[in-house]
Amino acid sequence: MAAIADKRSGAYTFLAYVTLVIISIFCLLPFVWMALASVDTNAKLFLKWPDGITFEHYTKVFAEENGVRWFANSLFTVLSATVLVMIISGLGGYALSRSRAWWKQPFLYAILLIRVLPSTALLVPLYKVLLTANIGLGNMLRPITGEYYRTVMQWFGFIDGYLGLIVVLATGQLPLALWIMKIFFDGVPKDYEEAAILDGATLVQRIHRVLIPLALPGLAAAGLFTFMSAWGDFLLPLILLSSPELQTLPIGLFRAFLRVNEIDYGLLAALATIYLIPAVIAFSFARRFLVQTFSGGVKG
């Protein structure tokens, strides 16, 4: 009986590995096509070995297209939103973890509604609110900035401005980050803080020397999820940004795909590869912290 059970277990294990290999190959095929097409002199829609190797598509992204500006806009807005989320979620997660207020649990579940509701359902009221705020801000800044009004509004405007996109991206990712940091601080013993207090450390010293080093794994996890989600967001930049000089990399991909003439699949693949690199780098740096965060945080 034991031999039969071992054979069945071996068969199930073999079947599981075969299934995983098939699924992995299926998932990897688009990335293989993207990598090959980006250096193919005659890139086509279907997967094939390159007719010749060239890096002209990558050169074209930065030389002929607006690739540098698209990439810089994406990196600036997403990194700004990520830093903002990490700061707020770190402070808020600590406060929620240590607080015994009766409203803590209702508040935590209430903010999840931002994640539950589909973003498309919120676009119209969100745009209306941002437009009203943008008009008010514009009326206030126009007499002050004069001829620099347009430049200032591109930086601080809520519609067709960096600030509006950064705030909206950060707001969308903040609920999950707050939950991550709250749960992480729940696993951090209070002994560290009590020892620092006994040593005479001030609040600023406790934050700088105790809480921030302990919170790094949680902050890295929250920052990674924020960066990945915001980096892949297409709808919000499409709705909130209209100036060509403010457009981000996802919109550049969209424009490249919707050319009137025949689609340049080599250019499209090169853009997609460039778009993929920051996410891979971010995951590589934060992978170690992710494992530590979701395996229990800091143990006393």
Side-chain angles (χ1 to χ4, degrees):
M1 293 294 292
I4 295 175
D6 289 341
K7 287 182 179 180
R8 287 181 177 177
S9 177
Y12 290 145
T13 303
F14 176 75
L15 183 61
Y17 277 111
V18 170
T19 303
L20 286 174
V21 169
I22 293 173
I23 294 174
S24 300
I25 293 173
F26 180 77
C27 293
L28 285 173
L29 280 177
F31 297 98
V32 173
W33 173 86
M34 184 179 68
L36 294 178
S38 67
V39 295
D40 190 354
T41 55
N42 187 29
K44 298 295 183 183
L45 176 61
F46 302 103
L47 178 64
K48 68 182 184 68
W49 191 256
D51 295 341
I53 302 297
T54 180
F55 291 98
E56 181 184 350
H57 303 305
Y58 291 96
T59 305
K60 189 176 179 181
V61 169
F62 297 107
E64 299 182 21
E65 302 292 334
N66 209 10
V68 175
R69 192 61 185 261
W70 293 340
F71 188 84
N73 288 338
S74 291
L75 207 58
F76 173 71
T77 54
V78 172
L79 283 178
S80 300
T82 301
V83 171
L84 185 61
V85 167
M86 289 174 69
I87 294 172
I88 297 175
S89 65
L91 297 173
Y94 174 78
L96 289 169
S97 175
R98 297 297 187 255
S99 173
R100 296 182 180 275
W102 63 269
W103 49 263
K104 181 173 72 173
Q105 286 301 116
F107 172 77
L108 283 169
Y109 287 111
I111 60 174
L112 284 180
L113 287 175
I114 299 177
R115 300 286 299 185
V116 172
L117 294 174
S119 58
T120 49
L122 300 174
L123 275 179
V124 174
L126 176 64
Y127 189 87
K128 180 63 177 176
V129 170
L130 291 175
L131 183 60
T132 303
N134 196 67
I135 293 173
L137 180 66
N139 292 335
M140 183 179 67
L141 292 179
R142 190 183 296 273
I144 302 172
T145 55
E147 60 179 309
Y148 301 105
Y149 170 76
R150 177 59 186 158
T151 303
V152 172
M153 288 301 293
Q154 284 185 338
W155 281 95
F156 300 103
F158 293 101
I159 296 292
D160 200 27
Y162 289 121
L163 181 61
L165 181 59
I166 291 169
V167 170
V168 173
L169 288 175
T171 302
Q173 307 308 319
L174 189 57
L176 179 59
L178 273 173
W179 270 89
I180 290 174
M181 293 308 302
K182 188 267 180 188
I183 294 172
F184 182 83
F185 278 118
D186 285 344
V188 177
K190 296 181 181 180
D191 300 346
Y192 297 104
E193 299 168 65
E194 293 171 354
I197 293 172
L198 290 175
D199 289 339
T202 63
L203 177 60
V204 175
Q205 289 174 330
R206 295 201 303 272
I207 292 174
H208 176 65
R209 298 182 180 179
V210 179
L211 293 178
I212 291 180
L214 290 176
L216 278 179
L219 289 172
L224 176 63
F225 281 115
T226 300
F227 183 90
M228 298 285 282
S229 184
W231 185 258
D233 199 308
F234 164 74
L235 189 58
L236 288 175
L238 180 66
I239 298 299
L240 298 179
L241 302 177
S242 57
S243 298
E245 60 270 23
L246 298 181
Q247 290 179 353
T248 57
L249 204 51
I251 302 178
L253 273 168
F254 177 67
R255 304 296 185 205
F257 190 73
L258 290 183
R259 296 288 168 87
V260 177
N261 300 323
E262 183 179 355
I263 298 173
D264 187 345
Y265 287 105
L267 174 67
L268 193 63
L271 266 172
T273 303
I274 295 169
Y275 184 45
L276 183 68
I277 290 173
V280 173
I281 294 174
F283 181 79
S284 300
F285 276 110
R287 181 180 56 184
R288 177 171 58 90
F289 295 112
L290 276 177
V291 175
Q292 184 176 346
T293 299
F294 295 105
S295 62
V298 178
K299 300 297 182 183

